[in-house]
Amino acid sequence: GLSADPITIAHIDILKSIYKRLGENDKLMIGVVNNDEKNYKALGSDRMAMVFEMLHSKFDMEKGNIEVKNQNDRTYKFLCDYIAANGLTMKDITIVVGEDEWKSLCDAKWVNWDLLLKHFNFLVFRRMGFEQGFNDVGVVHTMPKFDVNVEFTSFNITHSVSSSKVRDILSRNPDCHYEDVKD
């Protein structure tokens, strides 16, 4: 799931890293979230257009290994429906999240958080040099009821990227220039 409200450098770096990891039969599926999980500043159609524009400028879309879907349901239902429609199993799916969403998931702030953690694989991207009081071991041990298949990795953002700050700037001035949001 990607809110893309807006797409940041961190999102692009994460997607590039995932794309490099794809095997011959793997597919990157991006669900552009259109449910009540966030307080969106941009319309779903605008966010979907941002995703397609970014993908066509940064990735080889001719390979056909990237799929973009509207994610209108909560993540667990969305993925279960996708699995049923495509003849997959839950373990065929790896959910990719940033460290902030991983913390929210582990803190039981997602609907069906326990089912997600119990049944799916996770790849958690951490900003290098961005430590805020939790570490790999501490986070994993917040779920003592079951084992979680999670891998932590870093990407090349060496500072905090605040999507919230970018959204705030854009909501105050939708026609702002790059200079307003580049930092």
Side-chain angles (χ1 to χ4, degrees):
L2 176 68
S3 64
D5 192 23
I7 292 175
T8 66
I9 294 167
H11 294 129
I12 294 168
D13 282 353
I14 289 171
L15 290 171
K16 283 180 179 177
S17 180
I18 295 166
Y19 195 72
K20 288 178 189 172
R21 291 173 173 236
L22 293 181
E24 185 176 324
N25 297 316
D26 291 339
K27 181 178 277 191
L28 170 60
M29 195 267 293
I30 300 170
V32 178
V33 180
N34 288 308
N35 57 37
D36 63 352
E37 291 176 348
K38 305 255 186 194
N39 182 19
Y40 303 112
K41 305 290 186 194
L43 296 173
S45 57
D46 292 341
R47 292 183 289 111
M48 185 69 92
M50 280 189 267
V51 169
F52 278 113
E53 182 178 328
M54 179 274 303
L55 288 173
H56 285 288
S57 70
K58 305 282 184 191
F59 297 90
D60 180 5
M61 296 300 288
E62 299 300 316
K63 289 173 85 173
N65 59 354
I66 299 178
E67 180 178 6
V68 181
K69 297 261 197 198
N70 275 315
Q71 184 178 333
N72 296 317
D73 294 315
R74 297 298 183 134
T75 302
Y76 185 77
K77 181 178 182 340
F78 173 77
L79 289 174
C80 287
D81 290 348
Y82 184 83
I83 287 165
N86 291 282
L88 302 171
T89 70
M90 290 180 174
K91 290 300 177 189
D92 291 329
I93 304 284
T94 298
I95 300 172
V96 179
V97 293
E99 61 190 341
D100 50 349
E101 287 300 325
W102 176 250
K103 181 147 178 33
S104 293
L105 180 64
C106 293
D107 289 342
K109 293 181 181 174
W110 288 29
V111 173
N112 295 316
W113 67 273
D114 52 340
L115 295 173
L116 288 164
L117 290 171
K118 186 174 183 178
H119 296 293
F120 290 95
N121 304 311
F122 287 87
L123 177 60
V124 180
F125 278 84
R126 304 181 70 191
R127 294 176 186 103
M128 292 188 298
F130 186 65
E131 303 293 330
Q132 285 195 336
F134 70 93
N135 57 48
D136 301 354
V137 175
V139 173
V140 172
H141 287 297
T142 62
M143 295 102 38
K145 296 177 187 169
F146 41 80
D147 290 328
V148 177
N149 186 5
V150 59
E151 176 188 342
F152 291 88
T153 189
S154 296
F155 61 108
N156 293 328
I157 297 293
T158 56
H159 58 281
S160 174
V161 176
S162 175
S163 298
S164 298
K165 289 179 184 176
V166 174
R167 279 191 294 278
D168 182 54
I169 291 168
L170 291 173
S171 68
R172 284 187 275 123
N173 182 9
D175 297 321
C176 73
H177 296 282
Y178 174 72
E179 288 299 316
D180 297 330
V181 295
K182 73 177 183 182
D183 292 332

